[in-house]
């Protein structure tokens, strides 16, 4: 009635009705944005999915804009990145947003996955939602790695080299896979081109397709209700129970269930833009010129844990790390909704799930920290570039001082710290004189062992003597040098253990 | 209009069923045409993608310069242009290797790539060791394994001395699967 009073409103209503009759907007809306969700699902914990999607949207927009300037050629890529950084208006900001958006996407996606796991959302009937999510995890890691190669500096170059070296370990077809990855016999412009094609066409397209499937499944099967401890998922009763929940306490996702998503996404956007403005873009670092000497080649954050694991894996077990563990991990992830299809959803009743999450975060966190500090790499400039604390030279005999000079000049310091500074590949030698006696030190220097190279061919007898005399002097004041019998008495291994627990023996007495 | 009306197909009339033989025939013809087309399009695509996998680029002999560049008993780094270089390769075509001149015409040429994961090893004259910046692998002056995670000694290039020039056979990224 009121529409008739105001002709303009009446015209607008008619136009809307005309479109509605042809486009069925109301029907589409009710099946998508306005679809009902359980009231309990409008939770802060359920915001990570939309945050991941936000990151991906930022990546698409900034990525398209960056591609307007970036040149995917080995001879031009580095210069085009510098152009973006310094000449193209706001190019630095877009590069920074693309970089931080990528890191945030990996982190938020991982949080989303953790939440889905802990809240049991992967159980019946959402198995395919979980599996499409696992595929999205792999695609996202893939796009992060290929994106690192786009920043065509020495880290990118040697990162591809590491990828090639890993593929070169594949039995039988290793050499062929290396050629397929590099697009030729060596890392060059063809390599960059194929990583570019993966990064801007293949992987984003696949992610878009999978995200569509993922969201379609969320709409089809409904968002997971907020689980309550003690309520079991049962294939026979679940669907009816979910329908009833929707019926009793369902709210439309938009506008009633989206408030927390909007707040969380707004904050994330601020974080990404803030990091982009205040920290800025990453690199490009040293140019991708194999003839430039480098002291370090480490990957971006999402792969530091793997980089660290490759360094820390026991000798000759890399094939387990690179080939066996990924297969087992994939089987466990994809199989999860099948071997844990029903039963308890809430994490309070799933101690194993909590343990898995804690161990995963602890493991990845520690490995990432190790990857950041890289204690296994020799400190390439320590021998020439780090000062020696006076306490390690003061009041030494000329012979000992000669040894101290040898310690620097023979680059022992690249692997062995003194007073905490230097390399950390080998043990800190600040008080080595309290642990090892002269014959032991001579043997260690000449023969190496325990992951130390042998220096027998490289040091004269006099040099070894000076070096070892200096090392013996490395102990706190007023402590006696280590005195370990050079010919230990013969004891059976089992007996020796029992002895060390209690009664003193001849050996322990002389050794102490 | 209710949704049921639009979604349910009307039952086929007897006349419509008579067309089925012709429709079946056309379907089969279409299937054959499209299968042939799929092969004609698909085979070149697969061939294009995997050509780099099948085509083996042979290593070739090229010169690292006169042997006088390399002092006897010393280790020198040689930078050379990738023999397969293209204009667009830019600086990536500058490859390196380590040349050890033992004495006279006796040489040993090592690839710069660590045998663990391919990072570039650096020579330390004073300690007579190659060290890798990535995971701490170390090698002796003769290329042998010294310490760290590498599974073997450094990759060794074939070499020969011709007309006073040191020549090596290289041009392929050395990996465990293809150790030059």
């Amino acid at each position: 009635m009121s529409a008739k009073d105001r002709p303009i409103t009446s015209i607008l209503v008619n136009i809307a009705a005309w479109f509605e009759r042809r486009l069925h907007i109301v029907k589409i809306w009710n099946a998508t944005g306005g679809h009902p969700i359980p009231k309990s699902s409008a939770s802060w914990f359920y915001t990570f999915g939309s945050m991941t999607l936000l990151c991906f949207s930022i990546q698409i927009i900034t990525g398209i804009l960056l591609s307007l300037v970036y040149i995917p050629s080995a001879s031009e890529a580095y210069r085009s990145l510098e152009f973006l950084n310094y000449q193209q208006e706001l190019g630095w900001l877009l590069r920074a947003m693309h970089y931080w958006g990528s890191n945030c996407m990996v982190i938020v996606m991982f949080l989303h996955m953790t939440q889905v796991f802990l809240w049991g959302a992967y159980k019946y009937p959402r198995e395919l939602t979980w599996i499409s999510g696992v595929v999205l995890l792999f695609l996202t890691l893939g796009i992060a790695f290929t994106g690192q190669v786009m920043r065509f500096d020495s880290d990118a170059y040697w990162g591809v080299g590491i990828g090639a070296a890993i593929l070169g370990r594949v039995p039988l077809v290793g050499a062929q896979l290396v050629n397929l990855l590099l697009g030729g016999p060596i890392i060059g412009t063809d390599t960059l081109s194929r990583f570019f094609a993966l990064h801007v066409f293949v992987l984003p397209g696949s992610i878009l397709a999978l995200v569509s499937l993922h969201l379609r499944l969320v709409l089809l099967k409904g968002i997971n209700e907020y689980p309550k401890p003690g309520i079991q998922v049962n294939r026979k009763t679940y669907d009816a129970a979910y329908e009833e929940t929707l019926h009793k306490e369902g709210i439309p996702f938009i506008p009633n269930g989206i408030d927390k998503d909007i707040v969380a996404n707004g904050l994330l956007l601020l974080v990404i833009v803030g990091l982009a403005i205040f920290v800025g873009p990453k690199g490009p670092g040293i140019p991708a010129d194999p003839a430039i000497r480098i002291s370090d080649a480490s990957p971006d954050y999402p792969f530091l844990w793997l980089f660290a694991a490759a360094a820390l894996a026991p000798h000759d077990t890399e094939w387990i790390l690179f080939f066996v563990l990924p297969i087992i991990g994939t089987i466990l992830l994809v199989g999860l909704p099948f071997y844990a299809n029903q039963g308890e959803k809430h994490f309070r009743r799933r101690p194993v799930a909590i343990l898995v999450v804690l161990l995963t975060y602890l493991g990845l966190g520690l490995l990432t920290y190790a990857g950041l500090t890289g204690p296994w790499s020799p400190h390439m400039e320590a021998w020439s570039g780090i000062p020696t604390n006076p306490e390690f030279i003061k009041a030494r005999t000329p012979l000992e001082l000669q040894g101290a000079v040898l310690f620097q000049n023979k680059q022992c310091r690249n692997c062995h710290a003194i007073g905490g500074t230097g390399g950390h590949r080998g043990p800190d030698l600040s008080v080595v004189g309290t642990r090892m006696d002269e014959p032991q030190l001579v043997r260690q220097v000449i023969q190496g062992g325990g992951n130390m190279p042998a220096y027998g061919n490289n040091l004269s007898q006099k040099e070894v003597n000076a070096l070892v005399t200096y090392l013996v002097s490395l102990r706190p004041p007023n402590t006696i040098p280590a005195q370990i019998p050079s010919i230990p008495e013969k004891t059976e291994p089992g007996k020796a253990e029992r002895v060390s627990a209690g009664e003193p023996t001849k050996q322990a007495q002389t050794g102490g | 209009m209710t949704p049921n009306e639009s979604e349910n197909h009307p039952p086929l009339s007897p006349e419509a069923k008579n067309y089925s033989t012709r429709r079946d025939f056309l379907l089969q013809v279409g299937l054959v045409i499209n299968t042939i087309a799929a092969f004609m399009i698909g085979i070149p695509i697969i061939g294009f993608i995997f050509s780099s996998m099948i085509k083996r680029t042979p290593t070739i002999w090229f010169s690292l310069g006169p042997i006088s560049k390399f002092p006897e008993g010393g280790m020198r780094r040689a930078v050379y242009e990738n023999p397969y270089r293209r204009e667009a390769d830019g600086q990536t075509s500058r490859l390196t290797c380590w040349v050890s001149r033992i004495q006279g015409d006796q040489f040993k040429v090592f690839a710069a790539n660590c045998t663990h994961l391919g990072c570039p090893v650096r020579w330390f004259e004073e300690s007579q060791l190659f060290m890798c910046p990535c995971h701490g692998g170390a090698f002796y002056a003769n290329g042998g394994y010294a310490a760290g995670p590498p599974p073997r000694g450094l990759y060794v290039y074939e070499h020969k001395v011709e007309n006073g020039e040191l020549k090596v056979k290289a041009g392929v990224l050395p990996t465990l699967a293809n150790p030059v």
Side-chain angles (χ1 to χ4, degrees), chain A residues 58-73 80-81 83-84 88 91 94-95 98 150 196-197 199-201 204:
Chain A
I58 294 175
Q59 294 310 93
I60 288 184
I61 295 167
T62 53
I64 289 174
L65 295 176
L66 288 173
S67 76
L68 300 180
V69 178
Y70 182 75
I71 305 170
S73 136
S80 68
L81 290 170
F83 184 86
L84 272 166
Q88 166 67 44
L94 281 175
R95 277 203 68 223
H98 201 68
M150 294 304 100
F196 182 77
H199 187 71
V200 306
F201 300 120

Side-chain angles (χ1 to χ4, degrees), chain A residues 391-392 395-397 399-401 403-404 407 418 429-445 463-484:
Chain A
E391 68 176 289
F392 296 107
R396 295 297 206 276
T397 66
L399 185 63
E400 285 165 355
L401 284 177
F407 186 80
I418 282 197
L429 297 185
S430 308
V431 292
V432 69
T434 63
R435 301 197 291 271
M436 294 171 85
D437 67 353
E438 204 181 308
Q440 283 182 312
L441 283 164
V442 170
R443 191 201 60 77
Q444 183 67 28
V445 168
E463 286 174 324
V464 172
N465 184 29
L467 184 61
V468 166
T469 313
Y470 174 63
L471 291 175
V472 168
S473 82
L474 286 176
R475 54 180 199 276
N478 305 323
T479 49
I480 50 161
Q483 289 175 351
I484 300 161

Side-chain angles (χ1 to χ4, degrees), chain B residues 125-173:
Chain B
E125 184 69 40
E126 296 77 6
S127 47
Q128 295 282 305
L129 286 174
F130 290 104
M131 291 189 198
C132 177
C134 283
H135 298 118
F139 304 88
Y140 292 117
N142 64 4
Y145 167 81
R152 49 161 284 175
L154 287 174
Y155 302 117
V156 180
Y157 288 126
E158 243 182 275
H159 71 273
K160 61 184 176 189
V161 179
E162 260 182 17
N163 306 325
E165 292 208 353
L166 177 64
K167 291 189 169 174
V168 293
K169 202 176 176 191
V172 171
L173 181 77

Side-chain angles (χ1 to χ4, degrees), chain A residues 77-142:
Chain A
Y78 191 88
R79 263 178 284 175
S80 68
L81 290 170
E82 285 193 316
F83 184 86
L84 272 166
N85 271 3
Y86 303 116
Q87 279 169 285
Q88 166 67 44
E89 202 66 41
L90 294 176
W92 67 275
L93 187 62
L94 281 175
R95 277 203 68 223
M97 280 176 63
H98 201 68
Y99 172 68
W100 290 108
S102 142
N103 282 329
C104 284
M105 183 165 168
V106 174
I107 291 169
V108 175
M109 184 179 59
F110 208 66
L111 291 174
H112 175 50
M113 190 177 170
T114 312
Q115 185 272 326
V116 163
F117 177 65
L118 285 179
W119 270 246
Y122 59 85
K123 288 176 190 259
Y124 177 88
R126 301 184 180 85
E127 298 92 338
L128 287 175
T129 324
W130 169 266
I131 291 171
S132 60
V134 171
V135 178
L136 279 168
L137 170 77
F138 294 143
L139 290 174
T140 305
L141 290 178

